[in-house]
Amino acid sequence: MRPKIRYFVFNKPYDVLSQFTREAGHQSIADFFILDLKDVYPIGRLDKDSEGMLLLTNDKSLNSALLSPKALKTKTYLVQVEGKLDKTAISKLSEGLRITIDKKEYTTLPAKVKMVDEPKHLWERNPPVRYRKEIPTTWAEISIKEGKNRQIRRMFAAVGFPVLRLVRIAVENLVLDRILPGDVQEFDKQEFFNKLNIK
């Protein structure tokens, strides 16, 4: 009997690995996701220092639909950076810029970037971001259509603004809504595919 196909959104907390395998010193998805579904896996990744939306499923067709370079699915993040972000940096981020990944130069695709007020609805991070009174921070929202290794951190570093906090809040029209860190929300296939713009 074939297993039922299931679709989930997991709000990945800070310092949790985007995998079910546990590694010494770090929690993994397995510490939160308690359903007995051995074939469920994450689609894509968030590095352990990042938070927010992680998609989980046992539908193998979604790998190419979401992760293929041709898919160009929009992923949206809230970013807290060190320093006072300016229009010049936002312009460079928006137009695409050169970053280094695995010792190779790469030019990012154009992104949508805007400064935002500190999000009031966002949960407290545990542990909190280190506060330094003499150095201001800025919040931004950025949407990209790629997913290179630590890409957003590299992009902001390239324009002189180290990332303090990074939270993925949406993939296409699927929004992390009222799901607290460590929680899982299940979707039916039609809603999941519609929100992710998968035909």
Side-chain angles (χ1 to χ4, degrees), residues 26-129:
H26 295 290
Q27 290 183 302
S28 76
I29 300 170
D31 291 293
F32 302 90
F33 198 82
I34 57 174
L35 288 177
D36 186 21
L37 293 168
K38 294 183 174 59
D39 57 346
V40 168
Y41 59 93
I43 304 171
R45 300 178 73 82
L46 281 174
D47 65 67
K48 69 179 181 64
D49 300 327
S50 300
E51 308 161 68
M53 178 179 283
L54 193 62
L55 307 180
L56 300 164
T57 187
N58 54 352
D59 184 346
K60 293 180 171 53
S61 72
L62 286 187
N63 261 343
S64 59
L66 291 174
L67 300 181
S68 162
K70 295 178 181 178
L72 294 176
K73 297 296 183 184
T74 300
K75 295 166 281 289
T76 303
Y77 301 78
L78 288 172
V79 189
Q80 184 184 20
V81 299
E82 189 175 272
K84 196 169 175 56
L85 197 62
D86 54 45
K87 290 181 179 179
T88 301
I90 287 180
S91 178
K92 289 179 181 178
L93 291 163
S94 300
E95 293 166 5
L97 71 169
R98 301 286 284 177
I99 58 175
T100 302
I101 299 174
D102 297 327
K103 299 181 181 178
K104 295 179 182 175
E105 290 274 305
Y106 177 78
T107 301
T108 62
L109 293 174
K112 290 184 178 179
V113 189
K114 63 181 180 181
M115 281 186 274
V116 296
D117 294 331
E118 181 176 349
K120 302 299 182 196
H121 64 281
L122 200 60
W123 56 89
E124 297 265 336
R125 199 188 79 175
N126 184 23
V129 172

Side-chain angles (χ1 to χ4, degrees), residues 80-189:
Q80 184 184 20
V81 299
E82 189 175 272
K84 196 169 175 56
L85 197 62
D86 54 45
K87 290 181 179 179
T88 301
I90 287 180
S91 178
K92 289 179 181 178
L93 291 163
S94 300
E95 293 166 5
L97 71 169
R98 301 286 284 177
I99 58 175
T100 302
I101 299 174
D102 297 327
K103 299 181 181 178
K104 295 179 182 175
E105 290 274 305
Y106 177 78
T107 301
T108 62
L109 293 174
K112 290 184 178 179
V113 189
K114 63 181 180 181
M115 281 186 274
V116 296
D117 294 331
E118 181 176 349
K120 302 299 182 196
H121 64 281
L122 200 60
W123 56 89
E124 297 265 336
R125 199 188 79 175
N126 184 23
V129 172
R130 186 159 65 102
Y131 175 70
R132 291 195 284 180
K133 189 176 180 180
E134 69 278 8
I135 300 178
T137 68
T138 310
W139 283 89
E141 183 181 288
I142 179 169
S143 296
I144 62 173
K145 292 181 179 290
E146 309 161 273
K148 302 293 184 184
N149 182 34
R150 297 178 77 84
Q151 178 176 335
I152 290 175
R153 295 178 187 278
R154 296 177 197 276
M155 288 171 69
F156 278 92
V159 293
F161 293 90
V163 170
L164 300 173
R165 192 173 179 192
L166 180 59
V167 184
R168 182 155 65 200
I169 57 170
V171 177
E172 289 290 312
N173 297 315
L174 187 61
V175 178
L176 191 67
D177 188 22
R178 298 183 297 278
I179 312 174
L180 293 174
D183 283 353
V184 177
Q185 182 176 0
E186 185 166 8
F187 289 81
D188 65 48
K189 179 177 180 178

